[in-house]
Amino acid sequence: MSGPDVNAEVRKLSARLLPECDRLGAAMAERIRAEIPVYDTGDVVSHDELVVSCTVNARYILGNLAGEVTPTETPTETGTTRAEQGVPYAMVLQAFRVGSRFIWEVLVERADPEDRDLLLLAAADIWAVSDQLAADVTDAYRRAMADRARRDGQMRSVLVGSLLDGDADATAYVGETAGMLDLGRATEYVVVSAESPTPGAEGLPDVERALRRANVRSAWRLDHDHQEGVVALRFGFGAEHLVDLLAGLARGRVGVSSVVGRLDDIQEARRQARVACAAVSPGATVVGRFGADPLAVLLAGSPDQARVLVDAVLAPVLALPEDDREVVFATARAWLAAGGSTSTAARELHVHRNTVRYRIRRLEEITGRDLARPVDAAELYVALECVRILGLG
């Protein structure tokens, strides 16, 4: 392939520099190591390997500017290799930009004084070669990452994590990341967060396969205490269908976010899924949806404030012996659920209504609340929800 249509003096200068590519490649590698820490250690990309890549890059850029045939070994092969090595894309692109800037500086330095004005006029053509190189490298890197994601479950988990955690590099290329995970063609997404029954165990065993059988695309990761995934909903399989499917798989608490229409909102959806999971009673095997119980979601999203409220309203109850405390909590919940009806609560608890009256009076005495007052009853109800969510009783 012939080079771009650049100024004749730039062609001559580039041709003069071509025999020096080995030296220029070594100097370029030194510059990259100085500016990008991941390359300086030599742990992922050895120093010798970096020099070879930089030499190829220098020869590629100068060869194109000189109008010579492009070498068989192109820098795009470096993009593929770096993807296989697990070098972050942002670091790969930064290295190519550092290298391109280095070549520009060499051209300016080595140009004859009378040609420097011409070099500046030709700057756009020179940088066009570098930009095309970066674009080719990007394509090669992403193709390699897509292939690796399909082959490598661990890499797939990393890509899912970059979507959920809002990794700075992946956020800039969220569409490409979703494409690698085969999630990019949907218009509605939810995030699911399932609590692990034991550390590192799946809270939703084989969920990706179960969803695939329903022709629903999803991508998942598993960490120490949660299994989380992005689910691409489709026509005929909405959030309600998803909840039903998850309920049949769940081994513990599961939270499902609100539906979002853009992949850029996945990080917020992940927060919602975590809160919805935390709003389910500890130890329960229940799928909770964000927004289905607004009060529980509010309290679960502020656990520290929930604990403050519990201490303010129910500290005397928490100080009771465990058996006594459980009786008080059960009675209060039954009485509130019955709308203050002593007879209904008694039937629910299988005790005499006088027993319920006694327990409610005792609760009022030790908490200092008058449950005939709506405000005091509301405080008690909210405090009991905090106790449930925090797993205190």
Side-chain angles (χ1 to χ4, degrees):
M1 182 181 70
S2 62
D5 184 17
V6 298
N7 180 276
E9 297 303 323
V10 174
R11 285 185 180 277
K12 293 177 184 178
L13 175 58
S14 301
R16 290 204 308 269
L17 289 172
L18 269 173
E20 302 181 36
C21 280
D22 288 345
R23 182 184 64 80
L24 294 174
M28 184 192 296
E30 185 176 348
R31 175 76 66 84
I32 289 172
R33 287 200 299 270
E35 295 193 23
I36 308 176
V38 73
Y39 287 95
D40 188 41
T41 63
D43 295 336
V44 179
V45 181
S46 71
H47 291 171
D48 290 344
E49 184 182 0
L50 181 60
V51 170
V52 171
S53 295
C54 288
T55 301
V56 170
N57 297 349
R59 188 172 291 115
Y60 181 92
I61 294 174
L62 292 172
N64 273 274
L65 291 174
E68 296 192 2
V69 176
T70 302
T72 302
E73 185 181 11
T74 66
T76 56
E77 296 172 20
T78 301
T80 300
T81 301
R82 296 296 178 266
E84 292 290 343
Q85 292 170 324
V87 180
Y89 168 72
M91 299 298 98
V92 175
L93 191 58
Q94 185 182 354
F96 274 92
R97 287 171 176 164
V98 170
S100 297
R101 188 172 69 245
F102 172 82
I103 293 296
W104 167 255
E105 291 172 359
V106 170
L107 287 168
V108 172
E109 179 185 345
R110 298 291 292 276
D112 294 332
E114 63 272 16
D115 292 334
R116 286 180 180 165
D117 288 342
L118 290 174
L119 191 65
L120 293 174
L121 291 174
D125 295 326
I126 295 169
W127 283 102
V129 174
S130 298
D131 289 344
Q132 184 58 51
L133 171 60
D136 292 343
V137 168
T138 296
D139 288 343
Y141 183 93
R142 291 175 182 166
R143 284 196 302 270
M145 284 291 285
D147 289 342
R148 185 176 175 186
R150 285 189 286 269
R151 294 185 278 108
D152 188 339
Q154 183 176 3
M155 176 53 64
R156 187 172 175 83
S157 178
V158 169
L159 290 173
V160 175
S162 70
L163 282 178
L164 294 174
D165 299 333
D167 175 85
D169 298 336
T171 300
Y173 303 100
V174 64
E176 288 86 346
T177 302
M180 293 177 188
L181 295 168
D182 195 27
L183 296 174
R185 298 187 298 276
T187 58
E188 291 188 335
Y189 301 87
V190 295
V191 173
V192 178
S193 182
E195 190 175 52
S196 296
T198 57
E202 293 186 340
L204 294 164
D206 215 18
V207 62
E208 188 166 3
R209 182 180 299 178
L211 285 168
R212 195 181 302 121
R213 285 196 295 266
N215 196 28
V216 175
R217 299 189 303 277
S218 64
W220 299 80
R221 68 151 178 200
L222 178 65
D223 59 23
H224 181 73
D225 54 5
H226 281 83
Q227 178 186 13
E228 295 179 321
V230 181
V231 180
L233 301 175
R234 62 168 175 79
F235 180 76
F237 192 98
E240 298 81 5
H241 302 90
L242 176 64
V243 169
D244 290 342
L245 185 148
L246 297 178
L249 299 174
R251 291 186 175 179
R253 297 191 291 179
V254 179
V256 178
S257 73
S258 300
V259 175
V260 297
R262 302 189 318 139
L263 286 163
D264 290 342
D265 296 327
I266 288 296
Q267 290 86 44
E268 169 60 19
R270 186 250 188 173
R271 184 195 69 81
Q272 292 180 1
R274 278 286 182 109
V275 172
C277 182
V280 175
S281 298
T285 304
V286 174
V287 179
R289 290 188 64 183
F290 187 85
D293 187 343
L295 176 60
V297 165
L298 175 65
L299 299 175
S302 305
D304 292 340
Q305 295 304 312
R307 181 67 209 217
V308 170
L309 180 59
V310 168
D311 291 341
V313 178
L314 293 174
V317 180
L318 291 174
L320 296 173
E322 182 177 355
D323 290 346
D324 202 4
R325 181 172 68 243
E326 288 179 357
V327 167
V328 172
F329 283 152
T331 302
R333 287 177 175 130
W335 186 81
L336 288 167
S341 169
T342 302
S343 298
T344 302
R347 286 196 299 272
E348 178 68 23
L349 295 169
H350 305 290
V351 296
H352 195 276
R353 60 180 179 275
N354 288 338
T355 301
V356 173
R357 290 194 186 97
Y358 166 76
R359 293 175 182 175
I360 293 299
R361 282 197 303 271
R362 185 183 178 212
L363 175 62
E364 291 176 321
E365 290 171 0
I366 62 178
T367 62
R369 261 73 181 174
D370 179 0
L371 298 187
R373 297 182 64 242
V375 171
D376 286 2
E379 282 187 352
L380 176 63
Y381 175 77
V382 174
L384 286 170
E385 277 291 273
C386 293
V387 166
R388 177 185 66 77
I389 289 168
L390 295 174
L392 300 176

